[in-house]
Amino acid sequence: MSETHIHMAGHVVERHITRAGQGGDRDVFEYALLRVVPRVERGECINAGVVVYSRASAYVGARTHLDEARLLALDPAADVAGIQAALGAIELHCAGGEGAGQAARDDAGRRFRWLIAPRSTVVQPGPVHTGLTTDPAAETERLLDLLVR
């Protein structure tokens, strides 16, 4: 079953409605946007990445993209290199292995929950959303293109 919706921007979007037990080979995934808030006191932000978690696939992954021009428009004194390093650390944390430090021993769910915990820093996670996918890694890239780039 599907519905067609027209968003305010004029885009036509087909939304599939899935009832319990009708997911086919798709698994539930969770995701959160990574936001850069260069001046926390102002509350202005830009989307700079996405973190995706699928329990069924034991997958946690992050993809990031920092639009430096947009960042500098919000705060000309922003620490671009520091923000890039923080975003890179998130990708390493998700990948596990030696680059993840102590988190390498944690399972995917625990690493995801740690990353989405609210914090008052320049790089902050947004709210968690859910969806269905057959390929969490491809979903990570799709969400990056859709919501960040």
Side-chain angles (χ1 to χ4, degrees):
M1 176 187 301
S2 66
E3 295 178 356
T4 301
H5 296 273
I6 300 176
H7 287 268
M8 290 176 58
H11 301 285
V12 176
V13 176
E14 187 171 303
R15 186 177 84 180
H16 299 280
I17 300 171
T18 304
R19 301 203 188 326
Q22 295 179 335
D25 58 347
R26 297 182 296 169
D27 294 315
V28 173
F29 73 95
E30 298 174 69
Y31 74 94
L33 284 170
L34 297 172
R35 299 173 176 164
V36 174
V37 186
R39 293 181 57 194
V40 176
E41 70 277 8
R42 292 183 62 154
E44 299 168 330
C45 66
I46 61 170
N47 294 343
V50 64
V51 180
V52 172
Y53 168 60
S54 170
R55 180 177 175 191
S57 303
Y59 171 85
V60 64
R63 294 281 290 122
T64 61
H65 171 79
L66 182 61
D67 185 333
E68 291 181 28
R70 290 182 68 200
L71 173 62
L72 294 173
L74 289 180
D75 182 6
D79 179 5
V80 175
I83 294 168
Q84 286 281 22
L87 292 169
I90 291 170
E91 288 192 46
L92 286 174
H93 183 84
C94 287
E98 290 181 26
Q102 283 188 306
R105 292 187 294 257
D106 292 338
D107 64 28
R110 188 173 174 100
R111 290 195 315 266
F112 178 73
R113 298 285 173 237
W114 183 83
L115 286 169
I116 62 162
R119 50 187 52 100
S120 207
T121 62
V122 173
V123 177
Q124 301 178 7
V128 176
H129 305 282
T130 60
L132 295 171
T133 188
T134 57
D135 185 350
E139 195 67 37
T140 306
E141 193 66 36
R142 185 188 77 80
L143 290 170
L144 182 75
D145 288 338
L146 180 69
L147 303 172
V148 178
R149 289 188 179 147

